[in-house]
Amino acid sequence: MLRETPFHPRTAALMEGQAWRRWAGYVVASAYELSHEREYHAIRSSAALFDVSPLYKYLVRGRDAARLLDRIVTRDVLASKVSQVLYTPWCDARGKVIDDGTVSRLDETTFRMTAADPNIRWLHLNATGLDVTIEDVSERTAALSLQGPNARAILELACGQPLTELKYFRLTTGKIRGAPVTISRTGYTGDLGYEVWIDAAHALAAWDALVEVGTGYGITPAGMLALDLARNEAGLLLIEVDYISAHHAQIDAQTSTPFELSLGWTVALDKERFIGQDALEREHARGPVWRFVGIEVDWDSLERLYADVGLPPKLPTTAWRASVPLYVGGLQVGYATSGCWSPLLKRYIALAHLEARYGEPGTAVEMEVTVEHRRRRAAATVRPLPFFNPERKRA
Amino acid sequence: MTREVIVIGGGVNGLVTAAYLAKAGIPVQVLEARGTPGGLAGTEEVMPGFRSDVAGLDAGWLLPDIADHLKLGAAGLELVVPEASVFSPQPDGRALTLWTDPTRTAEEIARFSAEDARRWPAFTAQLARFARVLEAVYAVTPPRIPDARGRDFATLLGLGRRLRGLGRREMVEFLRVAAMSVAEWLDDWFATDALKGAVGAGGVTRILQGPRSAGTAFVLLHHHVGRPAGAVRSAQLVKGGLGALARALTDVAKGFGAEIRTSAPVREIVVRDGRTIGVALETGEHIAARRVVSSADPRRTMCGLVPAAHLDPEFVRAINNIRYRGAVATVHLALGELPHFTSRPADGALRAAITVAPSLDYLERAYDDAKYGGVSRQPFLEARIPTLLDPSLAPPRQHLMTVQVQYAPYHLRGGVWDAAARERLADSVVASLGNYAPNLHTSVLARHVVTPKDLEERFGLTEGHPYHGEMTLDQIVFMRPVAGWARYRTPIKGLFLCGAGTHPGGGLAGAPGRNAAHELLLKEGRR
Amino acid sequence: MAQTWDAIIIGGGHNGLVTAAYLARAGRRVLVLERRYRVGGAAVSEEIYPGFKFSVFSYVVSLLRPEIIRDLDLPRHGLEILPLESTVTPMDNGDYLAVWGDPDKTRREIYRHSPRDAEAMVEFGRLMHHMAQAVKPILGMIPPDPTSLSPRDLLGLLKLGRHFRSLGPEHVHALYKLMTMSSADYLDEWYETDVLKATKSASGIIGTFLGPRSPGTAYVLLHHYMGEIDGSFRAWGFAKGGTGAISESIAGAARRFGVEIRTDAPVTRVLLKRGRAMGVVLENGEELRARTVVSSLDPHRTFLELVGEPELPEDFVSDIRRYKFRGSSGKVNLALDELPNFTCMPGVGPHLRGAISVSPSVDYLERAYDDAKYGEFSRHPYMDVIIPSMIDPHMAPPGKHVMSIFVQYAPYNITGGWTDAKREAFGDTVVDTLARYAPNLKQAILHRQVITPADIERITGLTEGNIFQGELALHQLFFLRPAPRWAKYRTPIRRLYQCGSGTHPGGGIMGASGRLAALRILGDGR
């Protein structure tokens, strides 16, 4: 049996079409309603509530906690402030990304790390000789993500404290129905949003509180299909889809460095020693071979390809995850790994790996599309990421 | 001031490296933690009036070319190869002596089995042939496998030729034997338990394996590299104890201009931007250097002296996976008189390694105990009486006996190496030898026990292993100390290794140090 | 004058049948001679007790080469391999360790024992996958002789060298470690949970006379990772109808290609004329002629019995003489009135459709080996238990079951020799040991068949009862299997070939030796 998250009694009650999927050994909702459309629009217009409990969570404590994490991740953990949250990848010695996640500084010597993959062995391997304790709190800690323009208002009501001062990628503590929670202004939608971290025992009470106060604000429990659309619009990476963990790759060519994933901004080359530093310094000096970019498929071109066979353009209703070739002048120069029709932007967008020299925004490329069983190439343009970046995200 | 080269550790390998470098005109400073250079090769007063090599080791076999290059003879080094190699008393009251002279040994074996005696010369010849192939492998920096490049090809070609030089059948035999257990190999040749025990003991020297474990035939070969053909398990003793070797090396190194600083324990190898810039002493003093060569064992060097943040965790994992597993303790016995063996040893036989290993099964059972973390109830013993060679090591008419006891594992399960455990060990040694030389029970004046734990504490040897890691097939040549780093270099630029933890390993005094020095000189373009 | 066959194959085990089928497929007229009343050798299913079918000896399959299944179209002849997905190890404290087919389920289970090991398992699996990939081309290769200077061998060596170079240092070094280390040491580098290490290392000792701490066992561990069913490594399978069905399907394919198979036809000698094989002589005195004779028997039987020492070079004889068999495993087959009820996992569940491994700790296995080392069967043996009737209900009457217990160690050279009394004592030990974990076992037994290495030798002819036709030790592999210079299916006798597991790559129901031998024979224009 797959495991159920602490919110399962609530999420199961909402489920209309038994549309469950597997996430890190848990069952989570793909969509509660028969279509995910309304759930998606809640993210952008009101507030969507996601159960993100399957994330791996580690508590790293001790005198050397900051040193350990600083040695592992590419961002500068030693320089981080208490209540700061860092989004960061981490690499092996060749500078290849193992995983990405967040590092939250709960106090001077306590950090919570979230990860998409299990990482406790990697943490331990690197902790030789350091004064730290590493605790896997994945099961103990439930997590909710509340995303959308109304997220702040709902959360303020639920925890009875103003959140206007809580800046983007910062965290604070509070109480919901008497139970202590950590609230971080983070998420996977590129919108105004928060993630709530709570002891699994109090999970249901928190859910109920949020739904109760949120109903008037349009709070809508949402599943992974809606989330996948939003993260495409926000240009956020998904492990094993947009890149392969260096720990899982079968061959070298499957791995990526942070620079190749356009995460160069997360690499603090000048900080103290961290894993992969030498390789990344070298790569930085000569420039990455790949870049991770946005692709927008040209509507007219797509329409023409379909018109050729007498059809109106067919658009994907959910985000796809596949490897789709990209061409320049008839030669393959990259591949898209995720894509969707953005219901908000009304654009066909994709996330893609491109040879670095074609990575400049505005570059014209072609993307393979299958029109009535035949492979065609639609005109497309390289776009900067994210595709959608509302001011409210940071405001 | 930035020095050219610092060598950490003034043991045999550290001194050899320093001597070779100094000889080539490179300014070098040796930093030794203890009060005198020598490391394990130190002769100390272990009991009042009795001096001995603490770990009771022969430092291993000093390859003749090292002695030649460094002119150690001129520095007063005297090496002695006793005529008798092994004296092995048997439970039935007989004893088997192996002599360096194969004919004499064959005569001796004939008392046990005419057939085995007949086969002896052929066996010793094969052993010598195979050891010579290894010797060629040992004289060079291990080639990169499989990513050979540059001079690796020449090395591989040379070794390939050497191997083919054995002839087709012997070449296959070599490859086959190297992978075998010493028990299987000896079973192919001989029938006599006494003989197989005495020879097979050389296949388990300082490893936590029994004679039936694959790869132990290689261990026997390893310990015959550089030794005279025809002799099996012969030893090379240093007149005046191992301390004399250290003194000779120190003098030679100094003569070439090396500086040797004692009582200077290193706390850290200082690294900046992936390159070493010198060392910090326990006192806090910093010594800047362009290159640092460590003769400490790989784990101690890479996990103890180099700050972990500078290393790839996978490399650290590999270093942590090196199997050390010290398995040998030493019991020093101060004796009021020489032991009288009931088997009436021939003249000179007691200068041999007095070996209690009457059969392969005996050795295997000794190992069985250690497999589960215990001390062998019936241990494999190898005793020497250094006072027969140099009476000055003990008061007049008294003697010193140094006994290697295997298996006495570093990792004791459900116990620690406390005073009681040491006493039990000494008791079992006296009881076992006393079976063959009954006067021993009354002639022991004092005892001194050195466990693997002591070796770690006193000499910084990880898990008390004098070879800086077991000499097993997976830890030799291009795998020593770890795969990908067998060329004396480390992931830290400017930091080299030269101890027994590098190719060709332990039991060959100075060979790793010499190879490391060659590698360094090549890098410097001085060779 | 009797007809002359293109090839006579001695022995109708799976390798003999594979060789026969490939030769016939290439148009040769082939005769297979089997000593027993049925084909299969050690891969037979027999109804030992009315209504209960046992895979008497070999009982699981993973290594059968997919190209053989395809080339010979075996499914058409009845072959169907059903997955055996789980391994459950009962522990002495009443707990258990399970490895399931689903990675999430396995991860969660291992996590219960050690979070670190749960992660290590993924990386370890990845490495083993790489190692298996690295070794696969070697298994499919006629081993070049490094001592030879012939262009063919040099080319082979060059190919091998290129293969290693293409693997890269990391994988070559890992492979080298696997070849030289003990499975216990190797697993120590990865795992901390004793019962997990024990269960994994158990696959490193199967069919060897070595303990988990003996160097060389890590390689055998890999050997058992190399099986592939549907492209996924290490998946074990059970042939519908028992392992006999595999032999029957190969025999079926062979017959379709025109092979004639004669059972009850024991060969006593290979007919020789001026150092050439001319045919064989049967026990009844009948002489059969062939242009090529191929023996699927083990090297001892082939050379020392059927050919005879005087006909062979002295060096070769001594090589064959010292080639080691040392059978170390036995088998207990039970007909059961009801399913065993395991204390650690009561009732009927998916665990009964997989393997139950009695390997509670590395020390347990090592001590089992210690007993055997000194000439006794293990007082507390390692066991690999499956219940074939849970996977294929045709193996037993409805509601009843058969249980197959592979047991180690049972040394062929047991002190005093194997007697009926000793066999029963061995059977009792096995049942007693298993009953500690499944107390209802004893009362459920309707019939018990105990097979010692001596029985394996007597019934199947495998020397010393070694199930792999010779130990899978480093010095008996690749170009050394079975003897240096004669590792390429040829023999010192012209026109006589060998095709059994005693040749490279050897071991398991793999068929690779049989196939490679056939390719060599055809390549020689025979």
Side-chain angles (χ1 to χ4, degrees), chain B residues 195-272:
Chain B
L195 179 60
K196 288 192 280 186
V199 177
V204 296
T205 306
R206 296 191 186 277
I207 63 170
L208 200 68
Q209 293 284 355
R212 292 190 203 288
S213 299
T216 46
F218 159 77
V219 177
L220 186 66
L221 290 181
H222 174 79
H223 289 288
H224 284 83
V225 168
R227 305 197 180 193
V232 171
R233 306 206 59 223
S234 58
Q236 187 184 52
L237 305 176
V238 178
K239 194 140 188 205
L242 279 180
L245 172 62
R247 275 193 302 280
L249 280 169
T250 307
D251 291 348
V252 167
K254 279 185 178 162
F256 288 129
E259 189 188 336
I260 292 170
R261 194 169 151 189
T262 52
S263 305
V266 173
R267 191 191 64 211
E268 184 181 320
I269 293 167
V270 185
V271 180
R272 189 165 297 157

Side-chain angles (χ1 to χ4, degrees), chain C residues 349-365:
Chain C
H351 62 290
L352 298 181
R353 294 196 296 266
I356 306 285
S357 176
V358 177
S359 51
S361 71
V362 174
D363 278 359
Y364 177 97
L365 300 176

Side-chain angles (χ1 to χ4, degrees), chain B residues 145-149 153 164 167-169 171-173 175-177 179-181 184 188 209 212-215 314 317-318 321-323 325 361 364-368 371-372 413 470 473-476 478-479 483-484, chain C residues 123 145-149 153-154 157 164-165 168-169 172-174 176-177 180-182 185 188-190 210 213-216 315-316 318-319 322 324 326 363 366-367 369-370 373-374 471 474-475 479-480 484-485:
Chain B
I145 295 173
D147 49 333
R149 42 188 189 273
F153 290 109
R164 281 188 185 271
R168 208 165 161 184
R169 185 159 179 88
M171 172 181 170
V172 173
E173 208 48 29
L175 297 175
R176 201 178 81 91
V177 165
M180 276 170 82
S181 75
E184 286 172 295
D188 277 355
Q209 293 284 355
R212 292 190 203 288
S213 299
E314 293 299 335
R317 197 170 84 87
N321 278 335
I322 296 174
R323 271 169 297 108
R325 309 200 290 203
D361 266 357
E364 187 69 25
R365 286 187 196 277
Y367 165 57
D368 284 347
K371 248 182 349 188
Y372 308 106
R413 197 181 298 175
E470 288 189 315
L473 285 180
D474 58 305
Q475 301 197 142
I476 55 163
F478 64 102
M479 303 296 283
Chain C
E123 283 185 56
D145 180 350
T147 69
S148 151
L149 289 169
D153 283 311
L154 288 178
L157 284 175
F164 282 125
R165 244 181 125 81
V172 171
H173 296 153
Y176 178 78
K177 283 177 94 160
T180 50
M181 287 176 74
S182 75
D185 284 339
D188 267 343
E189 294 195 357
W190 288 90
L210 295 167
R213 292 191 214 283
S214 308
D315 280 354
F316 180 74
S318 76
D319 287 338
R322 66 188 186 182
K324 293 204 169 49
R326 303 200 299 179
D363 278 359
E366 190 67 30
R367 287 187 199 278
Y369 166 59
D370 284 348
K373 206 162 61 173
Y374 302 111
E471 271 193 275
L474 201 50
H475 60 273
F479 72 95
L480 296 171
R485 298 186 57 190

Side-chain angles (χ1 to χ4, degrees), chain C residues 61 67 82 422 509:
Chain C
V61 57
E67 60 265 30
L82 304 165
K422 218 163 243 178
I509 305 183

Side-chain angles (χ1 to χ4, degrees), chain B residues 459-479:
Chain B
F459 297 96
L461 290 169
T462 299
E463 296 185 11
H465 205 300
Y467 293 170
H468 295 189
E470 288 189 315
M471 292 302 302
T472 48
L473 285 180
D474 58 305
Q475 301 197 142
I476 55 163
V477 198
F478 64 102
M479 303 296 283

Side-chain angles (χ1 to χ4, degrees), chain A residues 56-71:
Chain A
Y56 292 94
K57 304 157 218 106
Y58 304 103
L59 219 48
V60 181
R61 266 186 287 226
R63 195 165 49 94
D64 291 330
R67 270 184 66 200
L68 171 64
L69 291 167
D70 195 65
R71 182 189 292 180

